[in-house]
CSV table of all heavy atoms in Angstrom, one decimal:
chain,number,residue,atom,x,y,z
A,193,LEU,N,36.0,2.5,22.1
A,193,LEU,CA,34.9,3.3,22.1
A,193,LEU,C,34.2,3.8,20.9
A,193,LEU,O,33.1,3.8,20.8
A,193,LEU,CB,35.3,4.7,23.1
A,193,LEU,CG,35.6,4.2,24.5
A,193,LEU,CD1,35.9,5.6,25.3
A,193,LEU,CD2,34.4,3.6,25.2
A,194,PRO,N,34.9,4.3,19.8
A,194,PRO,CA,34.3,4.6,18.7
A,194,PRO,C,33.4,3.6,18.1
A,194,PRO,O,32.3,3.9,17.5
A,194,PRO,CB,35.4,5.1,17.7
A,194,PRO,CG,36.5,5.5,18.7
A,194,PRO,CD,36.4,4.6,19.8
A,195,LEU,N,33.8,2.3,18.1
A,195,LEU,CA,33.0,1.2,17.6
A,195,LEU,C,31.9,0.9,18.4
A,195,LEU,O,30.9,0.3,17.9
A,195,LEU,CB,33.9,0.0,17.6
A,195,LEU,CG,35.1,0.0,16.6
A,195,LEU,CD1,35.8,-1.5,16.7
A,195,LEU,CD2,34.6,0.2,15.2
A,196,ALA,N,31.7,1.6,19.7
A,196,ALA,CA,30.5,1.3,20.4
A,196,ALA,C,29.3,1.8,19.7
A,196,ALA,O,28.2,1.4,20.1
A,196,ALA,CB,30.8,2.0,21.9
A,197,SER,N,29.4,2.9,18.9
A,197,SER,CA,28.3,3.5,18.3
A,197,SER,C,27.7,2.5,17.3
A,197,SER,O,26.4,2.6,17.0
A,197,SER,CB,28.8,4.7,17.5
A,197,SER,OG,29.2,5.6,18.4
A,198,VAL,N,28.4,1.4,16.8
A,198,VAL,CA,27.8,0.4,16.0
A,198,VAL,C,26.7,-0.3,16.7
A,198,VAL,O,25.9,-0.8,16.0
A,198,VAL,CB,28.9,-0.4,15.4
A,198,VAL,CG1,28.4,-1.5,14.7
A,198,VAL,CG2,30.0,0.3,14.6
A,199,LEU,N,26.8,-0.4,18.0
A,199,LEU,CA,25.9,-1.1,18.8
A,199,LEU,C,24.9,-0.1,19.4
A,199,LEU,O,23.7,-0.4,19.5
A,199,LEU,CB,26.5,-2.0,19.8
A,199,LEU,CG,27.3,-3.2,19.3
A,199,LEU,CD1,28.0,-3.9,20.6
A,199,LEU,CD2,26.3,-4.1,18.6
A,200,ILE,N,25.4,1.0,20.0
A,200,ILE,CA,24.6,1.9,20.7
A,200,ILE,C,23.5,2.6,19.7
A,200,ILE,O,22.3,2.7,20.2
A,200,ILE,CB,25.5,3.1,21.4
A,200,ILE,CG1,26.3,2.5,22.5
A,200,ILE,CG2,24.7,4.1,21.9
A,200,ILE,CD1,27.3,3.4,23.0
A,201,GLU,N,23.8,3.1,18.6
A,201,GLU,CA,23.0,3.8,17.8
A,201,GLU,C,21.8,2.8,17.4
A,201,GLU,O,20.6,3.3,17.5
A,201,GLU,CB,23.5,4.4,16.6
A,201,GLU,CG,24.6,5.5,17.1
A,201,GLU,CD,24.1,6.6,17.9
A,201,GLU,OE1,22.7,6.9,17.7
A,201,GLU,OE2,24.7,7.2,18.7
A,202,PRO,N,22.0,1.7,16.9
A,202,PRO,CA,20.9,0.8,16.5
A,202,PRO,C,20.0,0.4,17.8
A,202,PRO,O,18.8,0.3,17.7
A,202,PRO,CB,21.5,-0.4,16.0
A,202,PRO,CG,22.8,0.0,15.4
A,202,PRO,CD,23.3,1.1,16.3
A,203,ALA,N,20.7,0.2,18.9
A,203,ALA,CA,20.0,-0.1,20.2
A,203,ALA,C,19.1,1.1,20.5
A,203,ALA,O,17.9,0.9,21.0
A,203,ALA,CB,20.9,-0.4,21.3
A,204,LYS,N,19.6,2.4,20.4
A,204,LYS,CA,18.8,3.5,20.6
A,204,LYS,C,17.5,3.5,19.8
A,204,LYS,O,16.4,3.8,20.3
A,204,LYS,CB,19.6,4.8,20.5
A,204,LYS,CG,20.7,5.1,21.6
A,204,LYS,CD,21.6,6.3,21.1
A,204,LYS,CE,20.7,7.5,21.2
A,204,LYS,NZ,21.5,8.7,21.0
A,205,VAL,N,17.6,3.2,18.5
A,205,VAL,CA,16.5,3.4,17.6
A,205,VAL,C,15.5,2.3,18.0
A,205,VAL,O,14.2,2.6,17.8
A,205,VAL,CB,17.0,3.2,16.1
A,205,VAL,CG1,15.8,3.0,15.3
A,205,VAL,CG2,18.0,4.4,15.7
A,206,LEU,N,15.8,1.2,18.6
A,206,LEU,CA,14.9,0.3,19.1
A,206,LEU,C,14.4,0.6,20.4
A,206,LEU,O,13.8,-0.3,21.1
A,206,LEU,CB,15.5,-1.1,19.0
A,206,LEU,CG,15.8,-1.6,17.7
A,206,LEU,CD1,16.5,-3.0,17.8
A,206,LEU,CD2,14.6,-1.7,16.7
A,207,PHE,N,14.7,1.8,20.9
A,207,PHE,CA,14.2,2.3,22.2
A,207,PHE,C,14.9,1.5,23.4
A,207,PHE,O,14.2,1.4,24.4
A,207,PHE,CB,12.7,2.3,22.3
A,207,PHE,CG,12.0,3.3,21.5
A,207,PHE,CD1,11.8,3.0,20.1
A,207,PHE,CD2,11.6,4.5,21.9
A,207,PHE,CE1,11.2,3.9,19.3
A,207,PHE,CE2,11.0,5.4,21.1
A,207,PHE,CZ,10.8,5.1,19.8
A,208,LEU,N,16.1,1.1,23.1
A,208,LEU,CA,16.9,0.4,24.3
A,208,LEU,C,17.9,1.5,24.8
A,208,LEU,O,18.8,1.0,25.5
A,208,LEU,CB,17.6,-0.8,23.7
A,208,LEU,CG,16.6,-1.8,23.2
A,208,LEU,CD1,17.4,-3.0,22.7
A,208,LEU,CD2,15.6,-2.3,24.0
A,209,ASN,N,17.8,2.7,24.5
A,209,ASN,CA,18.7,3.8,25.0
A,209,ASN,C,18.8,3.8,26.4
A,209,ASN,O,19.8,3.9,27.0
A,209,ASN,CB,18.4,5.1,24.4
A,209,ASN,CG,16.9,5.5,24.6
A,209,ASN,OD1,15.9,4.7,24.5
A,209,ASN,ND2,16.7,6.8,24.9
A,210,ASN,N,17.7,3.7,27.3
A,210,ASN,CA,17.8,3.8,28.7
A,210,ASN,C,18.5,2.6,29.3
A,210,ASN,O,19.2,2.7,30.2
A,210,ASN,CB,16.4,4.0,29.2
A,210,ASN,CG,15.9,5.5,29.0
A,210,ASN,OD1,16.7,6.3,28.9
A,210,ASN,ND2,14.5,5.5,28.7
A,211,ALA,N,18.2,1.4,28.6
A,211,ALA,CA,18.9,0.2,29.1
A,211,ALA,C,20.4,0.2,29.0
A,211,ALA,O,21.1,-0.2,29.8
A,211,ALA,CB,18.3,-1.0,28.5
A,212,ILE,N,20.8,0.8,27.8
A,212,ILE,CA,22.2,0.8,27.4
A,212,ILE,C,22.8,1.9,28.4
A,212,ILE,O,23.9,1.7,29.0
A,212,ILE,CB,22.4,1.3,26.0
A,212,ILE,CG1,21.9,0.2,25.2
A,212,ILE,CG2,23.9,1.6,25.7
A,212,ILE,CD1,22.6,-1.2,25.2
A,213,ASN,N,22.2,3.1,28.5
A,213,ASN,CA,22.8,4.2,29.2
A,213,ASN,C,22.9,4.0,30.7
A,213,ASN,O,24.0,4.0,31.3
A,213,ASN,CB,22.1,5.4,28.9
A,213,ASN,CG,22.8,6.8,29.4
A,213,ASN,OD1,24.1,6.7,29.5
A,213,ASN,ND2,22.1,7.8,29.6
A,214,HIS,N,21.7,3.8,31.3
A,214,HIS,CA,21.6,3.6,32.7
A,214,HIS,C,22.0,2.2,33.2
A,214,HIS,O,22.4,2.1,34.4
A,214,HIS,CB,20.2,3.9,33.2
A,214,HIS,CG,19.7,5.3,32.8
A,214,HIS,ND1,20.4,6.3,33.2
A,214,HIS,CD2,18.7,5.7,32.1
A,214,HIS,CE1,19.7,7.5,32.7
A,214,HIS,NE2,18.7,7.1,32.0
A,215,GLY,N,21.8,1.2,32.3
A,215,GLY,CA,22.2,-0.1,32.7
A,215,GLY,C,23.7,-0.5,32.7
A,215,GLY,O,24.2,-1.3,33.3
A,216,VAL,N,24.4,0.2,31.7
A,216,VAL,CA,25.8,-0.2,31.5
A,216,VAL,C,26.7,1.0,31.5
A,216,VAL,O,27.6,1.0,32.3
A,216,VAL,CB,25.9,-0.8,30.1
A,216,VAL,CG1,27.4,-1.1,29.7
A,216,VAL,CG2,25.0,-2.0,29.9
A,217,LEU,N,26.4,2.1,30.8
A,217,LEU,CA,27.4,3.1,30.7
A,217,LEU,C,27.5,4.1,31.9
A,217,LEU,O,28.5,4.4,32.3
A,217,LEU,CB,27.1,4.1,29.5
A,217,LEU,CG,27.1,3.4,28.1
A,217,LEU,CD1,26.6,4.3,27.0
A,217,LEU,CD2,28.5,2.7,27.8
A,218,SER,N,26.3,4.4,32.5
A,218,SER,CA,26.3,5.3,33.7
A,218,SER,C,27.0,4.6,34.9
A,218,SER,O,27.7,5.2,35.5
A,218,SER,CB,24.8,5.7,34.0
A,218,SER,OG,24.4,6.5,33.0
A,219,PRO,N,26.7,3.3,35.3
A,219,PRO,CA,27.4,2.7,36.4
A,219,PRO,C,29.0,2.7,36.1
A,219,PRO,O,29.7,3.1,37.1
A,219,PRO,CB,26.9,1.4,36.4
A,219,PRO,CG,25.6,1.5,35.7
A,219,PRO,CD,25.6,2.4,34.7
A,220,LEU,N,29.5,2.4,34.9
A,220,LEU,CA,30.9,2.4,34.6
A,220,LEU,C,31.4,3.9,34.7
A,220,LEU,O,32.5,4.1,35.1
A,220,LEU,CB,31.1,1.8,33.2
A,220,LEU,CG,30.8,0.3,33.1
A,220,LEU,CD1,31.0,0.0,31.6
A,220,LEU,CD2,31.6,-0.6,34.0
A,221,GLY,N,30.6,4.7,34.2
A,221,GLY,CA,31.0,6.2,34.1
A,221,GLY,C,31.2,6.8,35.6
A,221,GLY,O,32.1,7.6,35.8
A,222,VAL,N,30.3,6.4,36.5
A,222,VAL,CA,30.2,6.9,37.9
A,222,VAL,C,31.5,6.5,38.5
A,222,VAL,O,32.2,7.2,39.2
A,222,VAL,CB,29.1,6.3,38.5
A,222,VAL,CG1,29.2,6.7,40.1
A,222,VAL,CG2,27.7,7.0,38.1
A,223,ALA,N,31.9,5.2,38.2
A,223,ALA,CA,33.1,4.8,38.9
A,223,ALA,C,34.3,5.4,38.4
A,223,ALA,O,35.2,5.8,39.1
A,223,ALA,CB,33.2,3.2,38.7
A,224,GLU,N,34.4,5.6,37.1
A,224,GLU,CA,35.5,6.4,36.5
A,224,GLU,C,35.5,7.8,36.9
A,224,GLU,O,36.6,8.4,37.2
A,224,GLU,CB,35.4,6.2,34.9
A,224,GLU,CG,36.6,6.9,34.2
A,224,GLU,CD,36.6,6.7,32.7
A,224,GLU,OE1,35.8,5.7,32.3
A,224,GLU,OE2,37.2,7.5,32.0
A,225,ALA,N,34.4,8.6,37.1
A,225,ALA,CA,34.3,9.9,37.5
A,225,ALA,C,34.8,10.1,38.9
A,225,ALA,O,35.4,11.2,39.3
A,225,ALA,CB,32.9,10.4,37.2
A,226,ALA,N,34.5,9.1,39.7
A,226,ALA,CA,34.9,9.1,41.2
A,226,ALA,C,36.4,9.2,41.2
A,226,ALA,O,37.1,9.7,42.1
A,226,ALA,CB,34.3,8.0,41.9
A,227,GLU,N,37.1,8.5,40.3
A,227,GLU,CA,38.6,8.4,40.4
A,227,GLU,C,39.3,9.6,39.5
A,227,GLU,O,40.3,10.2,40.1
A,227,GLU,CB,39.1,7.1,39.7
A,227,GLU,CG,38.7,5.9,40.4
A,227,GLU,CD,39.2,4.6,39.8
A,227,GLU,OE1,39.8,4.7,38.7
A,227,GLU,OE2,38.8,3.5,40.3
A,228,GLN,N,38.7,9.9,38.3
A,228,GLN,CA,39.3,11.0,37.6
A,228,GLN,C,38.6,12.3,37.5
A,228,GLN,O,39.1,13.2,36.9
A,228,GLN,CB,39.5,10.4,36.2
A,228,GLN,CG,40.2,8.9,36.0
A,228,GLN,CD,40.2,8.4,34.7
A,228,GLN,OE1,39.8,9.1,33.6
A,228,GLN,NE2,40.6,7.2,34.5
A,229,GLY,N,37.5,12.3,38.1
A,229,GLY,CA,36.7,13.7,38.1
A,229,GLY,C,35.8,13.9,36.9
A,229,GLY,O,35.0,14.8,36.9
A,230,LYS,N,36.0,13.1,35.9
A,230,LYS,CA,35.1,13.1,34.8
A,230,LYS,C,35.2,11.7,34.0
A,230,LYS,O,36.0,10.9,34.2
A,230,LYS,CB,35.5,14.1,33.7
A,230,LYS,CG,36.9,14.0,33.1
A,230,LYS,CD,37.3,15.2,32.2
A,230,LYS,CE,38.6,14.9,31.6
A,230,LYS,NZ,39.1,16.0,30.6
A,231,SER,N,34.1,11.5,33.1
A,231,SER,CA,34.2,10.2,32.4
A,231,SER,C,33.6,10.5,31.0
A,231,SER,O,32.5,11.1,30.9
A,231,SER,CB,33.4,9.2,33.0
A,231,SER,OG,33.2,8.0,32.4
A,232,ILE,N,34.3,9.8,29.9
A,232,ILE,CA,33.8,9.9,28.6
A,232,ILE,C,32.7,9.1,28.4
A,232,ILE,O,31.8,9.2,27.4
A,232,ILE,CB,34.9,9.7,27.6
A,232,ILE,CG1,34.5,10.0,26.3
A,232,ILE,CG2,35.3,8.2,27.7
A,232,ILE,CD1,35.6,9.9,25.2
Side-chain angles (χ1 to χ4, degrees):
L193 292 183
L195 293 181
S197 296
V198 176
L199 293 175
I200 290 175
E201 298 301 333
K204 286 176 65 176
V205 171
L206 296 178
F207 291 83
L208 305 179
N209 50 318
N210 288 328
I212 296 295
N213 193 24
H214 301 304
V216 178
L217 299 176
S218 290
L220 295 175
V222 169
E224 184 175 337
E227 297 179 0
Q228 304 178 11
K230 64 180 182 179
S231 174
I232 194 175

